Amino acid sequence: MAPPGMVGPRGTAVRLTLGNGLSPPLDAGYLEAGPAFDRAIPLNSSNASVQNNRGNTWLALVEYQAGRGEPIDDAAARALSSYRGALDVRPDYTLAFINIAETERLMALDRVRRGKDPSEILRDARAALDRYDAANKGDVDALVLRARCAVLEARWELAGGRDPRPALANARQAARDALAIDGGAVAAMLVEAQGAQWEAEWLSRRGSRTNAALRPGYDAIARAKAAEPHNAEALALEAALLFIDARDRYPESATELRRRAAMLVDQALRAKPSLRPDYGALR
């Protein structure tokens, strides 16, 4: 039986995932795993999978630290070094490219949260995805990752007072392409909801009505919750849409929308505390 996280069609790498973004022993355990892979590499210098799996260890730590709002630069640099080491061994080891792109997406997210320009990192992430796509056409995970990068670009544009809609159009197209391949891809549905969230936020800040922009977001969340009723990110996104929606409503309706939103975000953060950096301040 293959171990959990085994990546079948892409190689022999194991992808390490986090069940609880705030599990206290996690960082110590992963910091021990990194040196263990370091010791293995001299014994397996021609094995790209060893390098890749070492990168996955550091990438999991990046995800953990990002969920806590902690600095990620050191772990991210170690992850990238490992993935590039895999490519030095085997230039055709395309799994490393999508892992590079995911690491760089998290680096870009960190920059957006800190008010720093993510544009250069996002360009690098897209270049890595282009290399991966050349050998893996129609990969749903890659399409979702491309969509998430576009959402980050939109967030940065919005933060600077610029129109985020061109970037959001790219995000929606990538999400639609993913759903055309796998209609049950919940991650792509959530990207659709994020697109609605940030377009509605843009319109709201300009004093425009948000109803039409919010509608596809509500629809995407309904589809995501039908597939995964307890998906914490779907709950948090629904709360974000409701808070924006409440700005356009009469006081009585707005109060009820905000009450529902507060309840949903509380549920989401209790289920997945690592959502707090992006959704903890929702109001």
Side-chain angles (χ1 to χ4, degrees):
M1 177 181 293
M6 181 66 78
V7 182
R10 296 181 188 158
T12 59
V14 176
R15 171 63 191 275
L16 304 175
T17 58
L18 307 184
N20 183 338
L22 293 181
S23 176
L26 185 63
D27 52 344
Y30 275 69
L31 285 172
E32 292 172 5
F37 274 113
D38 288 344
R39 292 190 294 272
I41 285 171
L43 303 175
N44 298 271
S45 59
S46 62
N47 191 326
S49 292
V50 171
Q51 293 273 14
N52 185 78
N53 288 343
R54 176 177 181 265
N56 285 346
T57 302
W58 291 111
L59 176 55
L61 182 59
V62 172
E63 292 172 341
Y64 166 70
Q65 292 173 330
R68 291 171 59 94
E70 296 177 352
I72 67 169
D73 292 348
D74 181 66
R78 291 171 183 265
L80 291 175
S81 176
S82 299
Y83 295 135
R84 289 167 181 153
L87 290 168
D88 288 341
V89 173
R90 269 187 55 193
D92 64 341
Y93 193 80
T94 58
L95 176 59
F97 287 118
I98 194 169
N99 289 333
I100 287 170
E102 173 61 6
T103 305
E104 290 173 334
R105 181 192 72 83
L106 289 167
M107 294 169 67
L109 172 61
D110 180 66
R111 292 188 70 83
V112 169
R113 288 172 173 171
R114 293 187 289 117
K116 296 187 176 182
D117 188 351
S119 301
E120 183 176 354
I121 297 173
L122 287 173
R123 280 195 297 271
D124 291 345
R126 291 187 179 107
L129 282 172
D130 289 343
R131 297 288 299 276
Y132 178 79
D133 286 344
N136 300 273
K137 291 291 185 185
D139 184 282
V140 171
D141 290 343
L143 288 165
V144 170
L145 180 49
R146 193 177 291 276
R148 287 172 171 163
C149 288
V151 168
L152 287 176
E153 180 185 355
R155 287 178 60 175
W156 177 247
E157 293 300 299
L158 180 62
R162 299 175 293 275
D163 188 348
R165 289 175 295 182
L168 291 175
N170 291 334
R172 289 194 184 98
Q173 184 59 58
R176 282 195 295 266
D177 290 345
L179 288 165
I181 297 166
D182 178 3
V186 171
M189 300 173 199
L190 296 179
V191 171
E192 288 184 315
Q194 287 180 320
Q197 174 194 0
W198 296 112
E199 181 174 357
E201 183 65 38
W202 160 254
L203 293 170
S204 179
R205 292 183 187 185
R206 294 170 61 84
S208 301
R209 299 298 299 272
T210 59
N211 306 60
L214 289 168
R215 198 172 300 119
Y218 285 132
D219 175 70
I221 289 168
R223 288 184 280 119
K225 289 171 68 176
E228 297 181 6
H230 303 294
N231 185 293
E233 189 171 359
L235 297 177
L237 277 166
E238 185 175 3
L241 298 185
L242 288 169
F243 277 124
I244 296 171
D245 204 354
R247 301 173 197 167
D248 277 349
R249 302 300 184 100
Y250 290 111
E252 299 81 3
S253 300
T255 298
E256 174 58 20
L257 290 177
R258 292 191 183 99
R259 184 195 67 78
R260 285 172 51 201
M263 178 184 69
L264 287 168
V265 77
D266 181 65
Q267 291 176 3
L269 295 180
R270 280 191 283 109
K272 191 174 182 181
S274 59
L275 292 172
R276 190 171 298 278
D278 286 321
Y279 296 99
L282 283 177
R283 292 294 180 272

